[in-house]
Amino acid sequence: MSTEEHLAKEKPKKSQADLLYEAQVRSRRRFSLQVILSWIALLALLIFIFSGIEFSIGSFTVRTIDLDSDFIKENLAFIAGGAGQTILICVMSIILATFLALMAALGRLSKFAPIVALSSFYVSLIRGTPLYLQVFFFFLALPQLGIILPGLWAGVIALGLNYGAYMSEIFRAGLSSVGKGQREAAFALGMTSGQMMLRIVIPQALRFAIPPTGNEFIAMLKDSALVSATGFVHELMWRATKVGRAQFNNLEALIIAAVFYWIMTLIFSSLQSRLEAYMSRGER
Amino acid sequence: MKKLFTIVSLIVITALALSACGGGGTQAEDLLAQIMERGTLIVSTDPNYEPQSFLNTEGVRPADTKCASDQLTATEMQGFDVSVAVEIGNRLGVETCFATPSWDLITAGSWADKWDISVGSMTIKPSRQEVLYFTTPYYYYVAIAAALADSDLDSIDDLSGQAVCMGAATTYEDWANGVLDIPAEDIYYQPPANMTTVPLETDQECAQALAAGRTDFVAYVTAEPVVDSNIANGLPVKKIGEPLYLEKLAIAIDKSASLPTATLLEKLNEIVQAMHDDGTLSTLSLEWYGLDLTKAPGE
């Protein structure tokens, strides 16, 4: 047997560092498996609480919440049909909110006093009043000006304006995160202030601002339920309350809606964490 | 920068000013003409109540409907009020579409032309007549109090000093507060002394809250057919005592509508009378309530 053959047969010996690394990976895997198993256990517990099962152990009786399963079967598809409307409202509102937030954030940094006043007035007014009230305001007040918006648009405007005010703070932080040196370099290259904003500052600020915007979108998914209060937007919450009330099964109807809100939130949260990972990779 | 912002703010201001001037530009001379021109009668009704008006969850929106996207079509709704509204639409020769605002927005008037009429079992009363026009009644029912079936309440006087639930902005709330302004001969019972009120969003929450074991109130006041429907749906409730007052239910039109409504009101009165005379209303009432509620008591 030659020396080469001998070497090939022998297992390559792992270094101490490799062994340590593998042990770490193993324990990390074990940990996330434990998290997943605990999740499943918690979910099973939650389902058990709503199972309607009742039993006694000795003198101790265990009671769970009893739901009308016939009602759920009959109305599940109808209530779920509102999910599309919910997502549509959120997508349109987030587009409006992003535009408004960018405008308000740029306005706050302006050197022209009325513009600074306009944007800080907007942010203060909207953040200082409840969203529920704003939804009714656009529904009831605008017709007096001759602007009669369909219920959906009144809702989108209210949600967009509200979230725009909150998101303007995120965008402002994003804009101020771009170093002064970047602006100075842009000027040194002979850019106008408009070019500097569009080509240098905003692209860098967006990278900072997009992940939190995803977060706002997820919050909005749930706040969109308020838009149904005027009765003209037939989204998830509206369908759930109307069907529940007419058939005296509010609890069942609301639980169906809750499940769909949760599923939507889970989906968008996972998209959001991917986006976040993608964005942070770009920063290197 | 400065220029950019000045331009943007100028655009915003002009857009606002323009949109404030626009709108309301219709050629029709009155509301009836506008309905005929549009080809749809927009009816508001609160889809919270079975059997008055509730959603038909299996209904499919017809592809050729003229109803706007935020209105429901006749196939997506059902109930007595819905059938009456559809029949009115048929007699006018137009499609009936349903707007679904919350009840307090309907009774408050100032509909901003978002819908034409209300066919929603609305009780005629003077304070509503300040903002709405009413047709002649299309049917009648009485208000009644109800409590849990196993409670020992069995007359209105037992409610003295107790908390009682009702829907907000309903005549039931007015009655309980002693401010119900319908003709005195229609009120059979005054609220007992020291009764407190718990107004919830609709009457339906009251019955469900009691059935679910809440103890914030002991009884609720609503229309007799609503209690019948509660019982039919298996809620453990019973009626207590005698009827409280008579509700004369009519179709309503907004007084603040931007177009004249006199001809529409006249036409609706004609249609309601014709539907009384040819038995259409009785047939619909028997279908949805199992009773003929279209005759005024003592008629």
Side-chain angles (χ1 to χ4, degrees):
Chain A
M1 202 185 272
S2 69
T3 19
E4 287 97 86
E5 273 174 316
H6 184 76
L7 272 174
K9 264 188 184 172
E10 204 181 60
K11 263 191 180 172
K13 210 176 173 197
K14 279 175 185 160
S15 71
Q16 194 74 11
D18 281 340
L19 288 172
L20 266 174
Y21 177 72
E22 274 171 20
Q24 257 179 11
V25 168
R26 263 201 306 279
S27 90
R28 223 181 294 149
R29 274 204 200 122
R30 201 164 355 147
F31 186 77
S32 51
L33 187 70
Q34 281 168 354
V35 170
I36 290 170
L37 288 177
S38 308
W39 253 75
I40 293 169
L42 285 170
L43 196 63
L45 179 69
L46 189 66
I47 291 169
F48 170 72
I49 290 174
F50 287 98
S51 64
I53 296 168
E54 202 174 320
F55 60 90
S56 350
I57 310 162
S59 62
F60 183 71
T61 315
V62 176
R63 268 208 201 116
T64 57
I65 298 161
D66 192 12
L67 298 178
D68 181 346
S69 56
D70 288 340
F71 173 86
I72 293 179
K73 263 179 237 148
E74 276 164 31
N75 294 289
L76 187 70
F78 178 75
I79 294 176
Q85 187 88 320
T86 295
I87 293 176
L88 178 71
I89 295 167
C90 291
V91 169
M92 291 197 295
S93 306
I94 206 82
I95 292 170
L96 177 65
T98 307
F99 173 76
L100 286 171
L102 194 58
M103 283 294 136
L106 287 171
R108 282 295 264 284
L109 301 173
S110 163
K111 286 192 184 74
F112 188 47
I115 295 291
V116 176
L118 179 69
S119 67
S120 56
F121 188 81
Y122 154 65
V123 172
S124 164
L125 178 69
I126 297 290
R127 294 210 305 178
T129 49
L131 175 56
Y132 186 69
L133 188 153
Q134 289 162 14
V135 167
F136 273 97
F137 176 81
F138 289 104
F139 186 78
L140 295 173
L142 289 183
Q144 298 207 1
L145 301 177
I147 310 169
I148 298 172
L149 295 168
L152 181 76
W153 286 109
V156 165
I157 290 180
L159 264 185
L161 273 174
N162 188 279
Y163 273 74
Y166 283 95
M167 280 162 56
S168 77
E169 294 298 305
I170 296 172
F171 280 43
R172 200 156 69 106
L175 289 175
S176 41
S177 75
V178 180
K180 205 182 169 198
Q182 298 278 329
R183 294 162 209 254
E184 284 168 353
F187 280 127
L189 286 172
M191 288 189 182
T192 64
S193 61
Q195 280 176 325
M196 177 200 77
M197 269 293 162
L198 283 177
R199 297 193 181 162
I200 308 294
V201 179
I202 292 179
Q204 297 188 68
L206 279 184
R207 184 184 296 163
F208 182 89
I210 281 176
T213 303
N215 248 343
E216 294 289 313
F217 182 79
I218 290 164
M220 191 188 266
L221 269 178
K222 290 154 292 159
D223 279 350
S224 67
L226 289 175
V227 169
S228 69
T230 55
F232 277 93
V233 188
H234 307 142
E235 44 72 83
L236 255 181
M237 196 66 179
W238 186 87
R239 288 182 178 222
T241 48
K242 298 293 157 173
V243 171
R245 261 184 206 144
Q247 301 181 34
F248 315 107
N249 282 307
N250 272 5
L251 181 64
E252 283 84 356
L254 291 176
I255 286 171
I256 295 174
V259 169
F260 282 101
Y261 277 114
W262 195 15
I263 292 173
M264 285 195 294
T265 312
L266 283 174
I267 294 170
F268 283 104
S269 302
S270 81
L271 289 179
Q272 142 89 357
S273 53
R274 272 184 208 185
L275 183 74
E276 214 160 296
Y278 178 80
M279 284 292 176
S280 63
R281 193 186 57 185
E283 250 168 59
R284 270 178 212 163
Chain B
M1 276 269 269
K2 222 186 259 181
K3 219 186 265 170
L4 180 73
F5 285 120
T6 324
I7 290 167
V8 168
S9 47
L10 273 178
I11 290 170
V12 170
I13 290 161
T14 349
L16 277 178
L18 279 178
S19 51
C21 300
T26 57
Q27 281 94 45
E29 58 188 16
D30 70 3
L31 191 52
L32 181 60
Q34 195 190 39
I35 289 166
M36 305 309 286
E37 215 171 86
R38 198 198 302 135
T40 62
L41 175 69
I42 307 168
V43 177
S44 71
T45 185
D46 188 359
N48 279 325
Y49 295 93
E50 188 182 340
Q52 283 96 322
S53 74
F54 55 111
L55 296 173
N56 178 6
T57 54
E58 262 118 57
V60 179
R61 196 182 174 87
D64 60 345
T65 180
K66 286 187 210 153
C67 302
S69 62
D70 63 350
Q71 293 158 6
L72 294 176
T73 58
T75 51
E76 293 167 284
M77 300 273 297
Q78 53 185 330
F80 176 73
D81 284 337
V82 172
S83 299
V84 171
V86 169
E87 182 63 26
I88 293 171
N90 289 344
R91 291 187 186 208
L92 285 172
V94 294
E95 186 183 356
T96 306
C97 303
F98 293 93
T100 52
S102 57
W103 179 246
D104 45 355
L105 290 180
I106 305 176
T107 56
S110 299
W111 297 347
D113 303 329
K114 279 185 202 266
W115 58 90
D116 305 317
I117 64 172
S118 151
V119 185
S121 304
M122 196 189 289
T123 310
I124 304 174
K125 60 178 195 128
S127 53
R128 283 179 184 157
Q129 281 170 326
E130 281 169 26
V131 289
L132 304 172
Y133 293 116
F134 285 97
T135 63
T136 50
Y138 63 106
Y139 76 122
Y140 307 83
Y141 52 56
V142 290
I144 201 155
L148 280 178
D150 58 2
S151 81
D152 48 11
L153 301 165
D154 49 27
S155 84
I156 298 304
D157 295 328
D158 290 347
L159 296 177
S160 170
Q162 303 280 11
V164 173
C165 175
M166 64 277 307
T170 59
T171 54
Y172 318 114
E173 191 185 14
D174 293 340
W175 174 82
N177 290 325
V179 295
L180 182 61
D181 52 352
I182 61 173
E185 69 266 23
D186 290 343
I187 303 182
Y188 311 137
Y189 270 94
Q190 288 298 329
N194 303 322
M195 191 178 85
T196 55
T197 61
V198 182
L200 296 185
E201 198 173 337
T202 71
D203 329 16
Q204 308 291 53
E205 264 83 27
C206 300
Q208 285 195 63
L210 275 183
R214 305 266 336 158
T215 51
D216 315 72
F217 45 83
V218 297
Y220 60 102
V221 178
T222 186
E224 194 171 26
V226 171
V227 180
D228 288 336
S229 149
N230 290 347
I231 295 169
N233 272 280
L235 293 189
V237 293
K238 64 168 184 188
K239 298 175 195 172
I240 26 177
E242 298 292 308
L244 304 172
Y245 58 90
L246 175 69
E247 298 189 62
K248 292 176 175 160
L249 307 159
I251 298 162
I253 306 177
D254 184 14
K255 276 192 174 177
S256 71
S258 63
L259 293 170
T261 52
T263 50
L264 178 62
L265 189 62
E266 199 181 313
K267 187 83 191 163
L268 287 175
N269 273 327
E270 251 171 56
I271 292 175
V272 169
Q273 195 52 52
M275 283 168 75
H276 271 300
D277 294 344
D278 64 16
T280 311
L281 282 172
S282 299
T283 312
L284 290 176
S285 172
L286 283 167
E287 180 189 335
W288 290 103
Y289 293 106
L291 296 165
D292 187 357
L293 300 171
T294 61
K295 305 279 183 291
E299 210 176 79

